[in-house]
Amino acid sequence: MAAIQIAPDQAALFLDFDGTLVDIAPRPEAVMVPPGLPSLLARLSDRLSGAVGIVSGRPLEQIEALLPVALPMVGDHGATLRLSPSAPVRRRDLPVPPADWPDRAEALVAGFPGAAVERKAHGFVVHYRLAPEAAAIARTVLEHMIGIRDDFVVMPARMAWEVKPRAVSKGSAVVDLMAQPAFASRRPVFIGDDVTDEAGFAAARAAGGLGLRLQDAFGTPAALRAWLERLASER
């Protein structure tokens, strides 16, 4: 991996959570947060004058519970935002999938032990990490389910398929955060590990910054955390 150098006084840092700050878990609820991560993020935010944001596909309330630190945070791929630590939660006006969609997904995964459906406010995820044989049929069923509707999309993720509103992405989250005073006029750097982060990479690059894939730039979440520690300590 190449050495990554950024100027703390000029950069705005956007960090994915699962697979980036922490290792991927077999199921979302089994994720393990290193004990020192919240304090590291707090010091990093102080070093970058508040220009550090968490941008995740998880619901915002989960991220805030897992990372009890005062940072701007975005959940559900940009659907739910806390644009500054003291700001109220902002929820975008987005379509909700028909109630039978996640029910049909549940019926599908019942035939694949280990597969699971994660329900969200504006969509749902079919996880097949523990049942990889479900991958192809799950995608076919979900795409057929959506049919001609253009307001939802089936998005690939790491060992999962997510049905979500087309109108939001981690790219829209970067745009929203870059409009905030702590981030404005800085060079955005988005770090993620998944296909779901590609929109964030693109938005950061379009604004003159960097989109860094964890596996290429750092290798592992532990290596990224070590780099963040050095960055937080740099003077």
Side-chain angles (χ1 to χ4, degrees):
M1 279 74 70
I4 304 297
Q5 296 184 346
I6 66 172
D9 296 332
Q10 300 173 16
L13 198 57
F14 302 96
L15 301 167
D16 173 48
F17 180 71
D18 291 278
T20 299
L21 283 174
V22 299
D23 290 301
I24 288 284
R27 293 184 182 276
E29 63 273 17
V31 70
M32 300 293 292
V33 178
L37 182 57
S39 62
L40 167 59
L41 293 172
R43 289 185 286 110
L44 184 67
S45 179
D46 182 65
R47 181 66 187 91
L48 272 68
S49 301
V52 177
I54 306 300
V55 181
S56 175
R58 281 182 182 261
L60 179 60
E61 58 270 20
Q62 289 186 17
I63 294 297
E64 293 186 322
L66 290 164
L67 293 177
V69 57
L71 293 179
M73 295 183 178
V74 178
D76 284 327
H77 303 284
T80 312
L81 312 93
R82 193 182 297 279
L83 295 173
S84 74
S86 60
V89 174
R90 173 184 167 193
R91 302 184 188 278
R92 289 187 174 276
D93 185 14
L94 294 169
V96 176
D100 68 307
W101 284 9
D103 290 343
R104 290 161 63 185
E106 293 274 11
L108 168 67
V109 302
F112 296 92
V117 174
E118 176 190 3
R119 297 181 183 236
K120 298 184 177 183
H122 297 281
F124 59 94
V125 188
V126 175
H127 295 276
Y128 57 83
R129 179 173 301 277
L130 300 180
E133 66 276 12
I137 189 170
R139 179 172 187 172
T140 299
V141 169
L142 293 176
E143 289 180 341
H144 182 265
M145 187 185 301
I146 291 175
I148 62 172
R149 288 190 59 160
D150 60 3
D151 52 348
F152 285 92
V153 63
V154 178
M155 181 173 62
R158 288 180 69 176
M159 305 298 286
W161 302 112
E162 180 158 0
V163 174
K164 73 170 195 69
R166 188 183 295 273
V168 291
S169 69
K170 292 185 179 181
S172 68
V174 169
V175 172
D176 286 333
L177 285 170
M178 284 299 293
Q180 303 306 303
F183 295 87
S185 303
R186 286 176 170 257
R187 187 186 188 203
V189 178
F190 193 106
I191 303 174
D193 71 301
D194 198 353
V195 175
T196 62
D197 298 306
E198 292 290 343
F201 298 159
R205 291 166 183 156
L210 299 173
L212 301 176
R213 184 174 170 85
L214 174 96
Q215 295 90 326
D216 300 329
F218 303 98
T220 65
L224 170 63
R225 294 193 298 270
W227 180 80
L228 294 176
E229 181 67 54
R230 292 193 295 272
L231 184 62
S233 304
E234 182 181 321
R235 298 293 173 185

